[in-house]
Amino acid sequence: MSIQNLKVAVLLAPATHPVSGRPCAAAADSAALALALKLVPSPQHLLVLYAGDADDAALGPYLAQGVSCINVLPTLAGAEISRVLARQLQDVDLVLCGRRAGGGQGSAMLPYLLAEELEAPLLPDALQLQVGNGQVEVEQYLPKGQRRQLAAALPAVVSVHERASAPLPYAHARLLQGQIRHLSPVSLQPGVVHLEPASRRARPLVAASRASGHERMLGAIATDGAKAGGVVVKQGDPVEKAQVLLTYLRDHHLVDF
Amino acid sequence: MNFPLALTGLFWLGAILLSLGLARRAALWRQGRAAQVAWSGLFAIPKRYFVDLHHVVARDPFIARAHVAVAGGAVAVLALAAANYGLMLYLPALDVLMLLAAGLMFAGAMLVRSRRKSPPARLSKGAWNRLPRSLTLFAIGAGLAALLAISGDALGSAARLLALLALAGLTLGGAELALGIGLGGPMKHAVAGLLHLAFHPRQERFSGNKRSTDLKPLDLDSNEFGVEKPADFAWNRLLSFDACVQCGKCEAACPAYAAGQPLNPKKLIQDMVTGLASGDGQGYAGNPHPGQALRGGDAQQPILGGLLAEDTLWACTTCRACVQECPMLIEHVDTVVSLRRHVTLTRGTVPNKGAEALANLRDTDTVGGYPLAARYHWAVDLNVPVLLPGEHADWLLLAGEGAFDMRYQRALRALVQVLKAANLKVAVLGEAEPDCGDLARRLGDEATFQQLAGKMMSTLRHYSFDHIVTPDPHLFHCLANEYPALGGNYRIQHHSQLIAELLAKQQIPLRADAETSTITYHDPCYLGRYNGEIDAPRQVFKGIGIKVVEMERSGMKSRCCGWGGGASFTDIPGERRIPDMRMDDIRATGASQVAVACPNCTAMLEGVVGERAEVVELAELVAARLAKA
Ligand code: SF4
Ligand code: SF4
């Protein structure tokens, strides 16, 4: 299959803004959208799905970010969203979604349940993505700056990390042009959803060092009395001093120019 | 050869060429969109020329005199030539008058020449350098022609030579006048300038003392998204660009240009001229946008990317210093915002922190993404009542975005203290207060502005109050000048205006033993140039016994702090920072304190590093001199 007739779907759901509680675009879903838009020649080639009963207005931010049409699958009370979605995704090669919900009704379980439902591999926490020769390659996010390359044959599900893309630009004109299409309700065996509060035991924090904050700061910054972690640069003109800083930053891969 | 007949021929040839040229240029203007202006504006030209335009030109008395002489002389010569030779009256008396007019024009042309000897850097060179020569030639030609006509046969055989000289001068010099408009030469400004006065996009500029500084709302529902290509401007905007004389007054006043950011307002207007005439832009002989090459454009092609670099657009602080200075009454800020609107509304690619600020405004109604409930945290111990629907307050205080800034909270607390000392019944809206939308509007996000303005207006409808007071000139400008177009009319005062009034009525108890001190004062653009209010703050300082040493650029000529128009968010790099330059202005006065009257000026000037004057808010100065209760 060539990349031209690759069928790509993106799953989007409104998030809840952490400060105002208003519906907004979820960072991870937007990142998935950004990666998907790079794969297709124009936004019209994307299949964009949302399953849920949020207001159309809550989906507006995604339209403004460049989706031309969002297909809304109304779910019957208690119907399992993964199954509702899987029905629409049968002949899709690549399904992209956010790796976690931004509040609201979304759930970070969705990619897993969906992959299971579709019997397709899941590549979680993608930062970058390439498609070719019938397979998808993904650079996966791991904590502490680590990365891992994953590959799987298509069709596949990829859940995208929120850092995969800078926030997509928001354009009011696209919001006005975009469409929201309501598909007919899907009747499925209603599953039962149990909502229960997450229990989390407080874990006492163990300090890595017993030294006081001030001592640790002194250890980390440069002082004239050597014995600390840094260098004091007093000689030279500002350019030379800046050069020392730049070398330090380069050594630690904090800048790459 | 019959000399008078030759003059008649020459006159009509010139008139025909001028008309053809005007038709040619008018066809370019008509590429633009329709505009709502009345033809009757044509009758208003003389008044607008002698009052409104001359008012600006007269700030530079030398060039004002030179222009009166050249233009007045030329118009008189042309009028007399039209009557005497065009209509073939051939009256000797008119020849005498023509000789006098030509003399006047000659004197003016000499003045213009002397200015061009060592021209200030802001003036364009190129074709503009040849203008004094053409004007001189025309004046000499007209003078000689008049002389010949008066002297009759007295000159004998020399007459033939003189006649040839006169005709040569009139032809060469007259070509500049007749062909200027059609070929886009320097004399284009005369015709386009006069028509621009008639069809100015802001007609209200000419009606009395009313300032016209508000941005006009877009009709978003009918897909008005600003300007993408030159032909998207209204035709009278295109005409206004053609009026530019490339005097560079705007360039000299522009803070972004001085900071080495890639924006020169003169070049911006010339870019629009290049665009409307679909030229290659290489004829421009003035200073460029710093660091940018000359570019061509097309009336039907997008302006950004081709004609103009995006950075140029986002460097503008919307400070209106250029508009204030422009002798041709061109509206640079409208131009910048029209272009921004298209980018923001159709692509959303606002650079650096601009897009984030807009997202915050959409999602939280605050620029910084703060919870609304935190807006009045600084007032928690000041007993300022939060107004409830159904209650009444004499004064409603709108704190604006400055309320989230820890530095500015000190100023707000001082303001409340002062208002309480004056026994005013002040209340606030608490968490019901949204942003006024100023930042969104300047960044071109008209949709978010209209949403926020709608929210603010519907909120205010629920409360009962007599007046609004705010220390934020941006909020003040929005509510006072821009909400009326959306249907909101409020009695609103800037805190400097209110405090000045209270001081005048001796309603603020002041300490008798307050020390007198000397400060300098930085006028906020949105209070000064946008609202004409430069007196109230100074009255306040006077009222509390503070002497103000003025900076060279103060009052209506004040230099922007660099925040306006969202420039501190789009943050286009230059060689210097605008607030650093402003602090240099402040240093030059020798004052150890600079008073400010705007949360954004406060933040920008407080952000200047190194040895500098202390930044104090107007309200803080007053509060420090309150009598102990
Ligand atoms: S825009 Fe106005 S101030 Fe600027 S160069 Fe042109 S005429 Fe002069
Ligand atoms: S408004 Fe101010 S920053 Fe913008 S072009 Fe004019 S002078 Fe320059």
Side-chain angles (χ1 to χ4, degrees), chain B residues 148-157 159:
Chain B
L148 274 175
I150 297 165
S151 60
D153 298 331
L155 290 174
S157 60

Side-chain angles (χ1 to χ4, degrees), chain B residues 56 122-124 128 189 240-241 243-252 264-270 284 321-332:
Chain B
V56 185
R122 59 180 167 81
L123 286 182
S124 285
W128 288 88
H189 85 269
S240 78
F241 302 140
C244 172
V245 291
Q246 303 196 34
C247 66
K249 292 255 172 71
C250 53
E251 169 186 316
N264 175 348
K266 170 171 98 172
K267 178 67 166 58
L268 176 82
I269 299 305
Q270 285 311 307
Y284 176 73
C322 47
V323 186
Q324 178 75 20
E325 289 299 314
C326 180
M328 303 308 284
L329 313 185
I330 295 170
E331 297 280 346
H332 310 67

Side-chain angles (χ1 to χ4, degrees), chain B residues 250 253-257 263 265 268 315-323 332-333 336:
Chain B
C250 53
C254 177
Y257 180 77
L263 165 64
L268 176 82
C316 175
T317 71
T318 68
C319 71
R320 284 186 76 84
C322 47
V323 186
H332 310 67
V333 176
V336 166

